Amino acid sequence: MREQTLILNSIPVDELTGSIATPIYQTSTFVQDAPGVHKGYDYSRSNNPTRKVLEDCIAALENGHAGFAFASGLAAIDSVVKLLEAGDEIIAVDDIYGGAFRLFTHVYQKFGIKINYVDSTNAQNVANAVTDKTKLIWIESPTNPTLKVSDIRTIAKTAKENNILLCVDNTFASPVSQKPIDLGADIVIHSATKYIAGHSDLIAGLVVTSTQELSEKIKFIQNASGAILGPFDSWLVIRGIETLTLRVKQHAENAQKIAEFLQEEKLIKNVYYPGLKTHHNHEIAKSQQKYFGGVIAFDLVIDDKELASQIVSGTKLFKLAESLGGIKSLCCLPCEMTHKSIPAEKRYSSGVTDSLIRLSVGLEDADDLIDDLKQAIATAVKANADKASVTA
Ligand SMILES: *Cc1c(COP(=O)(O)O)cnc(C)c1O
């Protein structure tokens, strides 16, 4: 079955009533026929029929064994870390999502879990970092905000050979573009807040497991820790997923056009987008992604925070806000917003300079988005004409 058909076909018609739309079972508990005799549902933390539709759908989309819906992407990540024990080690991509960095370093380290951050864009670095304590490899591809791409197939081989779990944060690619389990990963997580729900109207997370054993463990943790997604938000995510293929295709088509435009701009130094031939791992991205996503980052020839700040404040269609993956275009200045808590030196070494701008390209017409960027850049340049390198 093709992707968009698979999505719609995996969201069933309600058996009880024939409702074509998934009913919202907004209930905490379920009446039992006799003690312990029920219709498969007893309490909504353990199981809820609306949440189950979403969980089955994401499992089908990621070619996994089971899916689990959480109250946020970070709650999803948290459930995977809870598979570990004190003394275990995680190897994680150094350009990791800030919230995951905070959780690993500032919450789990004090419980005796060690984290080793490596540049996984070279798969050999991951192999070199393996010790007999390593229990989990944590990859994001592409990463936030500089769109670094790691070779999931090769890293999966290293994980298998050493009996280590590989978890891929697939938020930026979406399951429409990239299927980590097919590439050898054991677990996939999503911030469904982004492309999967797609409308910037909720916070949600998903976990997909590849084996029955992992499914049972995550199910246990989900119920034991309790950070489940509520029925109404589950329904909104289902509503979003129904158009995922169409949105992801259009986000990527728009982003490609905009990235190519940005490459021609004199004021711009680096453009980071996996769909550009100049991207350092373009060939690997091509081998594992069907589309290149909707996020672009770029920095300026003069690394001036003020100038960059004026550009992101001067756009009209690109709204200045954190987050990404929604239908409306957003822009942000990571050094002052999403990446402010990261020490400047570490930030710089991962490419997040003072002038780095991140775009989440939405579904407006690409030419209007390009015009918007053109006017914002021109206005900012005019205002900074006294700075020699801006006019040069
Ligand atoms: C946003 C994001 C998260 C965290 O998800 P929340 O839903 O905000 O908790 C994790 N990973 C990546 C790559 C993200 O972009």
Side-chain angles (χ1 to χ4, degrees):
M1 212 179 281
R2 290 161 189 85
E3 200 73 10
Q4 182 58 27
T5 315
L6 173 72
I7 294 175
L8 295 178
N9 193 55
S10 72
I11 301 169
V13 170
D14 180 45
E15 269 181 36
L16 206 60
T17 63
S19 170
I20 186 85
T22 304
I24 304 172
Y25 285 91
Q26 190 72 42
T27 186
S28 60
T29 192
F30 300 83
V31 176
Q32 309 197 2
D33 298 330
V37 181
H38 53 72
K39 300 178 173 67
Y41 298 93
D42 55 358
Y43 189 61
S44 275
R45 171 163 32 74
S46 313
N47 259 313
N48 175 279
T50 310
R51 194 174 90 221
K52 187 169 191 316
V53 169
L54 170 61
E55 294 179 330
D56 290 348
C57 176
I58 191 64
L61 256 179
E62 286 284 10
N63 275 333
H65 176 267
F68 303 91
F70 290 86
S72 69
L74 273 169
I77 295 172
D78 182 70
S79 77
V80 176
V81 184
K82 283 180 172 141
L83 293 168
L84 305 184
E85 290 174 16
D88 290 348
E89 288 178 11
I90 303 173
I91 297 173
V93 53
D94 57 359
D95 201 19
I96 194 166
Y97 177 73
F101 175 84
R102 186 171 52 208
L103 179 71
F104 289 178
T105 305
H106 298 301
V107 178
Y108 279 104
Q109 218 148 247
K110 71 175 187 232
F111 292 113
I113 290 170
K114 271 203 187 153
I115 331 285
N116 187 1
Y117 296 99
V118 304
D119 176 3
S120 58
T121 57
N122 178 351
Q124 191 56 43
N125 292 341
V126 176
N128 293 346
V130 170
T131 73
D132 56 2
K133 299 266 174 59
T134 311
K135 291 288 153 60
L136 177 64
I137 298 174
W138 193 277
I139 298 299
E140 278 172 41
S141 188
T143 62
N144 173 37
T146 53
L147 289 307
K148 288 185 184 154
V149 168
S150 293
D151 182 345
I152 298 172
R153 283 187 194 88
T154 304
I155 294 170
K157 273 193 204 124
T158 300
K160 286 256 148 38
E161 281 163 17
N162 294 282
N163 207 15
I164 300 167
L165 290 174
L166 172 62
C167 181
V168 176
D169 181 336
N170 203 26
T171 300
F172 269 50
S174 94
V176 167
S177 291
Q178 177 169 276
K179 297 199 193 289
I181 289 175
D182 289 353
L183 300 169
D186 301 289
I187 305 172
V188 175
I189 77 100
H190 283 281
S191 168
T193 310
K194 317 293 167 53
Y195 289 103
I196 288 187
H199 292 70
S200 304
D201 53 6
L202 58 88
I203 302 284
L206 298 167
V207 175
V208 182
T209 44
S210 60
T211 64
Q212 173 149 3
E213 189 193 347
L214 283 170
S215 302
E216 284 169 5
K217 287 180 178 169
I218 295 289
K219 176 83 200 168
F220 179 85
I221 292 166
Q222 184 191 38
N223 186 48
S225 293
I228 45 110
L229 191 64
F232 185 67
D233 281 356
S234 295
W235 182 84
L236 277 172
V237 178
I238 293 166
R239 168 74 170 247
I241 276 195
E242 288 176 338
T243 54
L244 184 62
T245 309
L246 306 159
R247 286 187 285 106
V248 166
K249 264 189 211 169
Q250 194 61 43
H251 281 296
E253 194 182 307
N254 284 1
Q256 185 76 34
K257 269 194 193 169
I258 291 169
E260 285 169 13
F261 153 74
L262 292 169
Q263 268 192 319
E264 300 301 316
E265 273 291 304
K266 272 201 302 251
L267 188 69
I268 291 168
K269 190 173 170 194
N270 301 294
V271 180
Y272 302 102
Y273 185 66
L276 294 175
K277 288 196 183 71
T278 51
H279 184 276
H280 74 293
N281 270 345
H282 175 65
E283 289 306 319
I284 292 173
K286 243 170 50 180
S287 80
Q288 62 192 22
Q289 287 179 234
K290 194 164 160 194
Y291 306 103
F292 298 114
V295 179
I296 305 171
F298 63 93
D299 59 10
L300 308 178
V301 287
I302 156 175
D303 190 36
D304 187 290
K305 195 191 288 187
E306 189 51 37
L307 182 60
S309 182
Q310 284 174 12
I311 294 174
V312 292
S313 306
T315 52
K316 298 192 168 74
L317 293 173
F318 283 92
K319 308 293 184 198
L320 179 61
E322 294 189 5
S323 199
L324 57 109
I327 51 176
K328 291 182 183 168
S329 291
L330 302 177
C331 62
C332 82
L333 194 64
C335 77
E336 277 295 323
M337 298 167 71
T338 52
H339 288 61
K340 198 174 173 130
S341 64
I342 298 176
E345 205 172 301
K346 187 178 181 303
R347 186 157 62 65
Y348 260 86
S349 69
S350 63
V352 184
T353 55
D354 283 353
S355 67
L356 189 85
I357 291 172
R358 185 185 76 185
L359 302 178
S360 171
V361 177
L363 302 185
E364 300 88 349
D365 293 286
D367 290 336
D368 289 326
L369 292 173
I370 290 173
D371 287 345
D372 190 32
L373 290 167
K374 273 186 190 161
Q375 68 78 21
I377 292 169
T379 309
V381 166
K382 217 182 248 170
N384 286 272
D386 56 319
K387 289 180 188 158
S389 34
V390 173
T391 44

